[in-house]
Amino acid sequence: MDAHGLRELYDLVLRLSAVHDLDALVQEVVDHARRLLGVDVAYLALAEPDGSLVIRVTDGSLGPRLRGVVLPPHSGLAGQVADTGEPVQSTDYLGDAALTHLGEVDRVAEAEGLRTILGVPLRLRGKVAGVLMVSQRAVRRFTAAESSLLTSLGSFAAIAIENAKLVTALAEANDRLERAVRLHDRLGAVALHGGAAEDVVVPLSELVGGLVLVADEHDEVRAAARAGSLVNARLSGRPSKLFASASARRTRVDERVVTVPVASANAYFGALQVVPDAPLAEADVRLLERSATTVALVASVERAERRSAEELVEHLVTRRVREIPAYARDLRRPHLVVVSEDPRLRSLAAFSSTVDGRLVALVRADEATVRSWSLGTTGLAGPATGPAALADAYDDAVACVRVLNALGRTGSTASPADLGPYRYLLSQAGREEADTFVTRTLAPLLAHDEERGTDLVRTAEVFLRCGRRKTPAAEELTIHPNTLYQRLDRITALLGADWQEGDRALDVHLALRIHRLAAELA
């Protein structure tokens, strides 16, 4: 190698040592290899764990055919270089019978018009990390000096590539360590000051690529996040393959899912699960296990707070509490009282309990929001502030549910304002007014049934509800039509001939319904 070649090689080595991006580095190597030897094409293949070689970069090729070509172990000119660790030259590659040819590789060489090829190893600590190759589209014999120059370049390139990999790995390790420290600090704050499952999965999803979710002990998703943002827990689906038994509750790394139990010494709270975008490193799995400890602490605090909240709600609505305790100071602001039988209500409110077989929740949402939940037969009242007002609102909400059921409006949501004249049944003063209206309108009928044990009140209500059609009314009452005619004559004698006409019929029908509902709500 002459002085000029040495000087160029030295300058090149200095430039390569300053490049730490692997893709940019290997591209720089082939660019300079092509320029140093004055060839048509230069390309570089790096060794894979299975011994194959993958062409990573090219310079001078006619198209993208060469890039990405996989050279199986021990095949072709590159395989011979990798096996021997020495330069190999072929003056007419396609016609060289001494080489093991592959049809796909030969077709690429033919398309590129490659004739003479020189390949040198990228040797590092006795191993071949790749092969650097130059090619001419005409027959040419590379001299020993050219082969030596390319070999030296390959050796220096191997060192530079190794350094670039080390620098990249170190940077990634430092970045991961820094992010892990930040995560530790955030999770520590969650554990110290209290938080929810969302406060754990969001920062964790920033560090671990993929869907991160927390499931409770019933395998229901509590919170889910991806790339630092919450996703709809319901849309994320049920977590896959949790734990078949208590003895199986340990970290499990499957092909597509990593599952870590969330548990304390005395309780099992569910699982932390990740559906990663790429296989997780061992360090990521250990990070999940440490995060699961924080989730367990948060869940333990949540469970204790939930028990306290349930007890408080029950005591408030049953008038066993006169003051709002300090830990529930949020209840000092106005809350709606919602009564329903739908178990989803529990997850929609911070303060909920079961009272007399119904779910009761105190919520900060407005009426429109509560109605949008579609919880089935639901009563709501308020907003109310303070123990006495909350208890009164609970009574109204329960009465709404009972009125809805009595009216056959199951599945509906109602507040006292939705019940029209039937709202008078929800308070003592209203009931007194309703009783006065019923007595004034139906007194003769009520007295007749009371004294003689007849069923004229029900007969009148069914008849009016059936649109004064006698046949369907008789069928509903399960009596003969003649019996119905006799009863209607008696009702007319007691209430007057106009009881089933115009406004009088409306008053009678309303009074009949209020009378029945009052009896059912008593």
Side-chain angles (χ1 to χ4, degrees):
M1 186 184 308
D2 59 19
H4 177 72
L6 285 173
R7 186 167 56 254
E8 284 208 25
L9 184 60
Y10 176 74
D11 292 340
L12 177 57
V13 169
L14 291 180
R15 287 195 297 273
L16 293 180
S17 64
V19 181
H20 297 147
D21 179 84
L22 183 59
D23 291 335
L25 175 63
V26 293
Q27 186 65 58
E28 184 108 353
V29 170
V30 298
D31 291 349
H32 285 285
R34 184 185 177 205
R35 185 176 57 80
L36 283 174
L37 272 69
V39 294
D40 295 327
V41 185
Y43 45 104
L44 187 148
L46 291 180
E48 297 293 310
D50 62 358
S52 64
L53 294 161
V54 178
I55 298 177
R56 295 286 295 270
V57 292
T58 68
D59 185 48
S61 59
L62 299 177
R65 303 179 190 88
L66 274 173
R67 188 186 299 268
V69 169
V70 178
L71 308 172
H74 320 299
S75 64
L77 184 144
Q80 190 170 328
V81 175
D83 289 343
T84 63
E86 298 293 336
V88 175
Q89 179 176 178
S90 175
T91 55
D92 191 2
Y93 170 76
L94 291 174
D96 195 338
L99 298 175
T100 303
H101 288 269
L102 294 172
E104 181 181 355
V105 176
D106 284 3
R107 283 192 292 273
V108 173
E110 184 175 5
E112 286 284 344
L114 304 182
R115 298 291 300 277
T116 300
I117 300 177
L118 169 63
V120 299
L122 275 61
R123 279 183 302 210
L124 186 68
R125 291 190 293 275
K127 295 183 178 180
V128 176
V131 176
L132 175 60
M133 289 167 281
V134 294
S135 180
Q136 196 75 8
R137 293 193 172 94
V139 173
R140 168 183 172 178
R141 176 164 293 279
F142 292 101
T143 65
E146 290 174 325
S147 178
S148 176
L149 179 61
L150 192 63
T151 300
S152 298
L153 176 58
S155 297
F156 287 123
I159 296 172
I161 289 172
E162 179 70 7
N163 288 341
K165 289 180 177 179
L166 291 175
V167 169
T168 300
L170 181 60
E172 290 177 351
N174 287 338
D175 180 61
R176 184 172 295 278
L177 177 61
E178 182 180 344
R179 289 186 294 162
V181 169
R182 289 200 304 269
L183 177 65
H184 180 270
D185 291 342
R186 291 177 66 176
L187 295 185
V190 171
L192 181 62
H193 302 296
E198 294 89 341
D199 300 314
V200 176
V201 297
V202 168
L204 188 56
S205 68
E206 295 174 354
L207 186 61
V208 179
L211 177 67
V212 180
L213 58 85
V214 172
D216 62 18
E217 63 270 30
H218 304 299
D219 295 354
E220 295 293 337
V221 177
R222 291 286 309 281
R226 178 187 289 276
S229 299
L230 287 173
V231 298
N232 191 312
R234 294 180 180 178
L235 296 181
S236 65
R238 292 181 63 86
S240 60
K241 302 179 183 178
L242 282 187
F243 305 107
S245 64
S247 61
R249 290 171 186 164
R250 55 183 178 272
T251 299
R252 184 176 67 246
V253 181
D254 298 326
E255 182 179 353
R256 290 177 50 84
V257 181
V258 178
T259 307
V260 180
V262 175
S264 65
N266 303 312
Y268 171 69
F269 301 105
L272 180 63
Q273 193 169 82
V274 176
V275 183
D277 295 330
L280 295 185
E282 184 68 19
D284 289 328
V285 177
R286 301 288 82 80
L287 189 65
L288 289 177
E289 291 176 334
R290 290 194 295 273
S291 301
T293 301
T294 302
V295 178
L297 181 58
V298 170
S300 180
V301 172
E302 280 185 339
R303 183 172 290 183
E305 289 179 343
R306 186 165 62 246
R307 285 197 295 265
S308 298
E310 289 177 354
E311 184 178 279
L312 175 61
V313 170
E314 181 181 3
H315 288 178
L316 276 172
V317 301
T318 56
R319 295 179 169 81
R320 285 184 281 172
V321 173
R322 294 185 177 181
E323 293 183 1
I324 303 293
Y327 74 84
R329 55 183 174 272
D330 185 57
L331 288 180
R332 295 171 184 171
R333 296 186 291 173
H335 279 68
L336 283 178
V337 180
V338 183
V339 176
S340 175
E341 296 179 355
D342 193 318
R344 290 178 297 163
L345 179 59
R346 189 181 300 278
S347 65
L348 296 170
F351 292 93
S352 64
S353 185
T354 301
V355 181
D356 294 332
R358 294 188 180 93
L359 281 176
V360 182
L362 311 181
V363 300
R364 288 277 295 159
D366 55 33
E367 278 197 28
T369 299
V370 174
R371 293 175 189 276
S372 71
W373 292 343
S374 301
L375 297 171
T377 308
T378 301
L380 57 90
T385 307
L390 288 169
D392 289 343
Y394 166 73
D395 291 341
D396 286 347
V398 170
C400 284
V401 171
R402 296 176 66 188
V403 170
L404 287 174
N405 287 329
L407 291 172
R409 290 165 55 184
T410 56
S412 301
T413 297
S415 67
D418 296 315
L419 300 179
Y422 305 113
R423 67 179 301 179
Y424 294 115
L425 302 176
L426 304 184
S427 67
Q428 186 62 39
R431 288 195 180 195
E432 291 176 359
E433 292 182 15
D435 288 344
T436 299
F437 170 68
V438 170
T439 300
R440 186 176 65 248
T441 307
L442 303 177
L445 217 57
L446 296 171
H448 189 280
D449 279 353
E450 178 70 22
E451 294 170 2
R452 306 191 183 190
T454 54
D455 198 15
L456 297 183
V457 169
R458 179 166 178 266
T459 299
E461 183 182 4
V462 171
F463 177 67
L464 291 175
R465 188 172 69 247
C466 290
R468 296 187 290 276
R469 292 178 297 158
K470 297 181 177 60
T471 299
E475 291 176 353
E476 183 172 337
L477 292 166
T478 63
I479 60 176
H480 193 276
N482 290 336
T483 303
L484 175 63
Y485 296 148
Q486 294 172 5
R487 290 185 183 183
L488 293 176
D489 289 342
R490 174 57 59 186
I491 294 171
T492 298
L494 293 169
L495 296 182
D498 63 344
W499 74 274
Q500 51 180 302
E501 302 294 337
D503 291 342
R504 181 77 194 286
L506 178 62
D507 288 345
V508 170
H509 196 182
L510 180 59
L512 289 167
R513 296 195 74 175
I514 290 176
H515 174 69
R516 174 171 59 82
L517 292 173
E520 293 179 1
L521 296 174

